[in-house]
Amino acid sequence: MTKRKPLSTVVAESLSEKIRSGQLLPGAQLPTEAELCAEYDVSRTVVREAVARLRSEGMVVPQQGRGMFVSETPAPRNFSIPDEALRTLPETIALLELRLSVEVESAGLCAERRTDAEVNAIRALMEQVDAQQADPAVVQIHYDYDFHLAIAKAARNEFIHGFLSYLRPMIVPRFQLGYVVTSERKDSYYARIHSEHKTIVDAIERQDGRAARQAMRKHLHNSLGRVRALARASGVAATEAEQKAAAASLFTDMKRPAPTGG
Protein backbone atom coordinates (compact mmCIF):
# COMPACT_ATOMS: atom_id res chain seq x y z
CA MET A 1 0.00 0.00 0.00
CA THR A 2 1.15 3.51 -0.77
CA LYS A 3 1.66 5.51 2.37
CA ARG A 4 -0.41 8.70 2.40
CA LYS A 5 1.40 11.96 2.98
CA PRO A 6 0.62 13.87 6.17
CA LEU A 7 -1.88 16.65 5.60
CA SER A 8 0.68 19.26 6.65
CA THR A 9 3.01 18.01 3.90
CA VAL A 10 0.22 18.20 1.32
CA VAL A 11 -0.55 21.79 2.30
CA ALA A 12 3.13 22.78 2.42
CA GLU A 13 3.77 21.30 -1.04
CA SER A 14 0.73 23.04 -2.48
CA LEU A 15 1.82 26.41 -1.12
CA SER A 16 5.39 25.78 -2.30
CA GLU A 17 4.13 25.15 -5.81
CA LYS A 18 2.10 28.36 -5.74
CA ILE A 19 5.25 30.27 -4.75
CA ARG A 20 7.46 28.61 -7.38
CA SER A 21 4.88 29.07 -10.14
CA GLY A 22 4.44 32.77 -9.35
CA GLN A 23 0.87 32.39 -8.14
CA LEU A 24 2.19 33.82 -4.85
CA LEU A 25 4.78 36.46 -5.71
CA PRO A 26 7.76 37.51 -3.57
CA GLY A 27 6.56 39.95 -0.93
CA ALA A 28 2.97 38.71 -1.11
CA GLN A 29 1.20 37.98 2.17
CA LEU A 30 0.07 34.42 2.79
CA PRO A 31 -3.64 33.90 3.41
CA THR A 32 -4.61 33.88 7.07
CA GLU A 33 -4.76 30.64 9.06
CA ALA A 34 -8.55 30.69 8.85
CA GLU A 35 -8.45 31.15 5.07
CA LEU A 36 -5.95 28.32 4.62
CA CYS A 37 -8.02 26.05 6.89
CA ALA A 38 -11.06 26.70 4.72
CA GLU A 39 -9.17 26.33 1.43
CA TYR A 40 -7.60 22.98 2.32
CA ASP A 41 -10.30 21.77 4.73
CA VAL A 42 -7.77 21.11 7.50
CA SER A 43 -7.25 22.15 11.12
CA ARG A 44 -5.22 25.11 12.35
CA THR A 45 -2.59 22.70 13.65
CA VAL A 46 -2.07 21.32 10.14
CA VAL A 47 -1.78 24.81 8.69
CA ARG A 48 0.71 25.89 11.34
CA GLU A 49 2.88 22.82 10.68
CA ALA A 50 2.79 23.49 6.94
CA VAL A 51 3.72 27.15 7.34
CA ALA A 52 6.48 26.23 9.81
CA ARG A 53 7.94 23.93 7.16
CA LEU A 54 7.89 26.69 4.55
CA ARG A 55 9.52 29.04 7.02
CA SER A 56 12.28 26.54 7.82
CA GLU A 57 12.95 26.26 4.09
CA GLY A 58 13.23 30.04 3.77
CA MET A 59 10.21 30.31 1.49
CA VAL A 60 8.18 32.54 3.83
CA VAL A 61 9.22 35.07 6.45
CA PRO A 62 7.25 36.59 9.33
CA GLN A 63 6.62 40.30 9.73
CA GLN A 64 5.82 41.21 13.30
CA GLY A 65 2.14 41.95 13.78
CA ARG A 66 1.34 41.45 10.09
CA GLY A 67 1.65 37.74 9.33
CA MET A 68 3.66 35.60 6.92
CA PHE A 69 5.01 36.86 3.61
CA VAL A 70 6.60 35.13 0.64
CA SER A 71 10.36 35.49 0.83
CA GLU A 72 12.31 37.17 -1.93
CA THR A 73 15.09 34.69 -1.27
CA PRO A 74 15.13 31.74 -3.65
CA ALA A 75 16.15 28.28 -2.52
CA PRO A 76 19.95 28.02 -2.79
CA ARG A 77 19.70 25.14 -5.24
CA ASN A 78 18.66 27.65 -7.89
CA PHE A 79 21.70 29.86 -7.34
CA SER A 80 25.42 29.47 -6.98
CA ILE A 81 26.32 31.14 -3.70
CA PRO A 82 30.07 31.09 -3.01
CA ASP A 83 31.19 29.37 0.18
CA GLU A 84 32.98 32.51 1.35
CA ALA A 85 29.72 34.47 1.08
CA LEU A 86 27.84 31.83 3.05
CA ARG A 87 30.46 31.92 5.78
CA THR A 88 29.94 35.67 6.27
CA LEU A 89 26.16 35.45 6.64
CA PRO A 90 26.16 35.50 10.49
CA GLU A 91 28.40 38.57 10.48
CA THR A 92 26.26 40.26 7.82
CA ILE A 93 23.13 39.70 9.89
CA ALA A 94 24.86 41.19 12.95
CA LEU A 95 25.91 44.24 10.92
CA LEU A 96 22.38 44.75 9.63
CA GLU A 97 21.05 44.59 13.18
CA LEU A 98 23.59 47.26 14.08
CA ARG A 99 22.55 49.41 11.13
CA LEU A 100 18.92 49.05 12.16
CA SER A 101 19.64 50.39 15.63
CA VAL A 102 21.62 53.39 14.32
CA GLU A 103 19.81 54.35 11.12
CA VAL A 104 16.31 54.49 12.58
CA GLU A 105 17.42 57.37 14.78
CA SER A 106 19.48 58.81 11.93
CA ALA A 107 16.34 59.15 9.79
CA GLY A 108 14.41 60.79 12.62
CA LEU A 109 17.16 63.32 13.31
CA CYS A 110 17.47 64.03 9.60
CA ALA A 111 13.76 64.83 9.39
CA GLU A 112 14.02 67.18 12.36
CA ARG A 113 17.27 68.94 11.35
CA ARG A 114 17.58 68.86 7.55
CA THR A 115 17.67 71.96 5.36
CA ASP A 116 15.55 72.39 2.24
CA ALA A 117 18.68 71.97 0.11
CA GLU A 118 19.55 68.72 1.87
CA VAL A 119 16.14 67.12 1.49
CA ASN A 120 16.11 68.11 -2.20
CA ALA A 121 19.51 66.50 -2.63
CA ILE A 122 18.37 63.34 -0.80
CA ARG A 123 15.30 63.06 -3.03
CA ALA A 124 17.38 63.59 -6.18
CA LEU A 125 19.86 60.91 -5.04
CA MET A 126 17.01 58.51 -4.30
CA GLU A 127 15.58 58.98 -7.80
CA GLN A 128 19.02 58.47 -9.34
CA VAL A 129 19.73 55.30 -7.35
CA ASP A 130 16.28 53.81 -7.84
CA ALA A 131 16.25 54.51 -11.60
CA GLN A 132 19.28 52.30 -12.31
CA GLN A 133 17.49 48.94 -11.85
CA ALA A 134 20.53 46.91 -12.84
CA ASP A 135 20.55 43.15 -13.36
CA PRO A 136 20.54 41.63 -9.84
CA ALA A 137 23.42 39.37 -10.87
CA VAL A 138 25.79 42.34 -11.22
CA VAL A 139 24.69 44.69 -8.44
CA GLN A 140 25.33 44.55 -4.70
CA ILE A 141 22.42 43.95 -2.34
CA HIS A 142 23.19 47.23 -0.54
CA TYR A 143 23.38 49.30 -3.71
CA ASP A 144 21.48 52.13 -1.96
CA TYR A 145 24.11 52.79 0.72
CA ASP A 146 24.93 56.29 -0.61
CA PHE A 147 21.27 57.19 -0.08
CA HIS A 148 21.52 56.07 3.55
CA LEU A 149 24.76 58.00 4.05
CA ALA A 150 23.14 61.18 2.70
CA ILE A 151 20.39 60.84 5.31
CA ALA A 152 22.97 60.28 8.05
CA LYS A 153 24.93 63.36 6.98
CA ALA A 154 21.81 65.55 7.18
CA ALA A 155 21.14 64.19 10.69
CA ARG A 156 23.81 66.64 11.90
CA ASN A 157 25.62 64.05 14.00
CA GLU A 158 29.14 63.41 12.80
CA PHE A 159 29.44 60.27 14.92
CA ILE A 160 26.49 58.65 13.13
CA HIS A 161 27.72 59.63 9.69
CA GLY A 162 31.32 58.68 10.49
CA PHE A 163 30.31 55.31 11.91
CA LEU A 164 28.13 54.38 8.92
CA SER A 165 30.91 55.50 6.57
CA TYR A 166 33.28 53.25 8.50
CA LEU A 167 30.91 50.30 8.06
CA ARG A 168 30.49 50.81 4.33
CA PRO A 169 33.43 48.69 3.05
CA MET A 170 32.39 45.90 5.42
CA ILE A 171 28.72 45.86 4.40
CA VAL A 172 28.36 46.80 0.74
CA PRO A 173 30.56 44.24 -1.08
CA ARG A 174 29.22 41.16 0.69
CA PHE A 175 26.36 39.87 -1.44
CA GLN A 176 25.02 40.27 -4.93
CA LEU A 177 21.37 41.18 -5.14
CA GLY A 178 20.96 38.11 -7.34
CA TYR A 179 21.26 35.91 -4.25
CA VAL A 180 17.86 37.12 -3.01
CA VAL A 181 15.93 38.14 -6.14
CA THR A 182 15.80 36.63 -9.61
CA SER A 183 16.12 38.68 -12.80
CA GLU A 184 12.49 38.07 -13.74
CA ARG A 185 11.37 39.46 -10.36
CA LYS A 186 13.64 42.49 -10.42
CA ASP A 187 11.05 45.01 -11.61
CA SER A 188 8.69 44.30 -8.71
CA TYR A 189 11.63 44.23 -6.29
CA TYR A 190 12.97 47.60 -7.40
CA ALA A 191 9.47 49.07 -7.31
CA ARG A 192 9.03 47.91 -3.72
CA ILE A 193 12.39 49.35 -2.65
CA HIS A 194 11.58 52.65 -4.34
CA SER A 195 8.28 52.76 -2.46
CA GLU A 196 10.12 52.19 0.83
CA HIS A 197 12.70 54.88 -0.02
CA LYS A 198 9.98 57.33 -1.02
CA THR A 199 8.12 56.82 2.26
CA ILE A 200 11.32 57.71 4.14
CA VAL A 201 12.01 60.80 2.03
CA ASP A 202 8.40 62.00 2.19
CA ALA A 203 8.58 61.90 6.00
CA ILE A 204 11.91 63.74 5.99
CA GLU A 205 10.42 66.36 3.67
CA ARG A 206 7.47 66.85 6.07
CA GLN A 207 9.96 67.07 8.95
CA ASP A 208 8.06 64.23 10.64
CA GLY A 209 10.70 62.52 12.76
CA ARG A 210 8.38 59.80 14.05
CA ALA A 211 7.23 58.78 10.57
CA ALA A 212 10.81 58.85 9.26
CA ARG A 213 11.93 56.50 12.04
CA GLN A 214 9.05 54.13 11.32
CA ALA A 215 9.73 54.14 7.57
CA MET A 216 13.46 53.50 8.03
CA ARG A 217 12.76 50.71 10.52
CA LYS A 218 10.45 48.98 8.03
CA HIS A 219 12.96 49.38 5.17
CA LEU A 220 15.90 47.93 7.10
CA HIS A 221 13.77 45.28 8.80
CA ASN A 222 12.76 44.03 5.34
CA SER A 223 16.40 43.94 4.25
CA LEU A 224 17.35 42.05 7.39
CA GLY A 225 14.50 39.63 6.80
CA ARG A 226 15.79 38.84 3.30
CA VAL A 227 19.29 38.05 4.58
CA ARG A 228 17.96 35.98 7.48
CA ALA A 229 15.81 34.03 5.01
CA LEU A 230 18.88 33.43 2.85
CA ALA A 231 20.71 32.12 5.91
CA ARG A 232 17.85 29.79 6.85
CA ALA A 233 17.46 28.53 3.30
CA SER A 234 21.22 27.89 3.13
CA GLY A 235 21.31 26.04 6.44
CA VAL A 236 23.48 28.73 8.01
CA ALA A 237 22.84 29.60 11.66
CA ALA A 238 24.52 32.33 13.66
CA THR A 239 26.01 30.93 16.85
CA GLU A 240 27.14 32.94 19.83
CA ALA A 241 30.76 32.15 18.98
CA GLU A 242 30.30 33.39 15.41
CA GLN A 243 28.69 36.60 16.65
CA LYS A 244 31.60 37.24 19.02
CA ALA A 245 34.14 36.52 16.29
CA ALA A 246 32.30 38.85 13.92
CA ALA A 247 32.32 41.65 16.49
CA ALA A 248 36.00 41.15 17.24
CA SER A 249 36.82 41.29 13.54
CA LEU A 250 34.65 44.37 12.99
CA PHE A 251 36.30 46.51 15.65
CA THR A 252 39.90 45.33 15.30
CA ASP A 253 40.99 48.41 13.38
CA MET A 254 38.75 50.94 15.10
CA LYS A 255 40.97 53.24 17.15
CA ARG A 256 39.97 55.50 20.00
CA PRO A 257 40.86 59.15 19.43
CA ALA A 258 44.04 60.15 21.19
CA PRO A 259 43.37 62.23 24.33
CA THR A 260 44.18 65.89 23.99
CA GLY A 261 46.36 67.56 26.55
CA GLY A 262 44.80 69.89 29.08
Side-chain angles (χ1 to χ4, degrees):
M1 291 179 63
T2 303
K3 186 177 180 180
R4 294 180 61 184
K5 293 180 181 179
L7 288 175
S8 60
T9 300
V10 173
V11 175
E13 289 179 350
S14 175
L15 290 171
S16 296
E17 180 56 32
K18 288 182 179 181
I19 292 170
R20 291 194 178 97
S21 68
Q23 207 173 333
L24 285 171
L25 294 172
Q29 186 172 9
L30 285 188
T32 65
E33 280 188 3
E35 290 169 338
L36 290 173
C37 288
E39 179 180 351
Y40 293 100
D41 192 21
V42 295
S43 68
R44 285 182 180 269
T45 299
V46 169
V47 167
R48 287 169 186 165
E49 289 175 356
V51 172
R53 174 173 169 175
L54 295 182
R55 183 177 177 183
S56 70
E57 294 174 357
M59 299 190 76
V60 299
V61 292
Q63 290 190 16
Q64 189 172 5
R66 299 186 62 203
M68 285 288 179
F69 290 76
V70 178
S71 172
E72 290 162 1
T73 308
R77 62 177 177 272
N78 297 327
F79 287 80
S80 176
I81 303 176
D83 289 343
E84 58 270 20
L86 288 175
R87 283 196 296 270
T88 64
L89 270 170
E91 183 177 346
T92 301
I93 290 170
L95 286 169
L96 276 169
E97 290 173 345
L98 177 59
R99 277 187 67 188
L100 184 62
S101 65
V102 174
E103 289 199 55
V104 169
E105 186 61 19
S106 172
L109 292 175
C110 176
E112 294 159 3
R113 298 172 177 177
R114 59 75 176 168
T115 64
D116 289 345
E118 285 170 335
V119 73
N120 290 338
I122 289 170
R123 183 174 290 280
L125 180 58
M126 173 194 70
E127 296 293 352
Q128 177 186 346
V129 168
D130 289 349
Q132 293 173 5
Q133 300 196 6
D135 183 341
V138 298
V139 69
Q140 303 300 330
I141 191 171
H142 300 300
Y143 65 88
D144 61 349
Y145 205 75
D146 283 339
F147 168 72
H148 288 264
L149 283 179
I151 291 173
K153 189 169 183 64
R156 298 270 188 295
N157 185 313
E158 288 303 316
F159 288 99
I160 291 177
H161 182 258
F163 185 58
L164 292 176
S165 297
Y166 170 79
L167 291 182
R168 178 182 183 138
M170 304 176 196
I171 290 176
V172 174
R174 288 175 177 262
F175 295 99
Q176 291 175 339
L177 184 59
Y179 297 161
V180 297
V181 60
T182 59
S183 295
E184 58 268 23
R185 309 282 193 208
K186 76 179 183 73
D187 290 343
S188 62
Y189 175 84
Y190 283 125
R192 185 180 304 110
I193 297 302
H194 177 64
S195 176
E196 292 175 7
H197 285 168
K198 186 175 182 300
T199 302
I200 295 168
V201 176
D202 287 349
I204 291 172
E205 197 166 58
R206 297 194 308 271
Q207 296 186 297
D208 187 338
R210 182 173 177 272
R213 290 178 177 92
Q214 289 176 337
M216 182 64 81
R217 181 181 297 279
K218 178 181 178 182
H219 176 54
L220 291 177
H221 181 80
N222 288 345
S223 180
L224 180 58
R226 286 186 283 271
V227 178
R228 282 175 173 163
L230 178 62
R232 285 194 300 271
S234 306
V236 176
T239 66
E240 184 179 354
E242 287 170 328
Q243 292 283 0
K244 288 181 179 178
S249 172
L250 173 62
F251 293 109
T252 295
D253 297 325
M254 185 176 278
K255 306 295 184 182
R256 291 182 178 273
T260 56

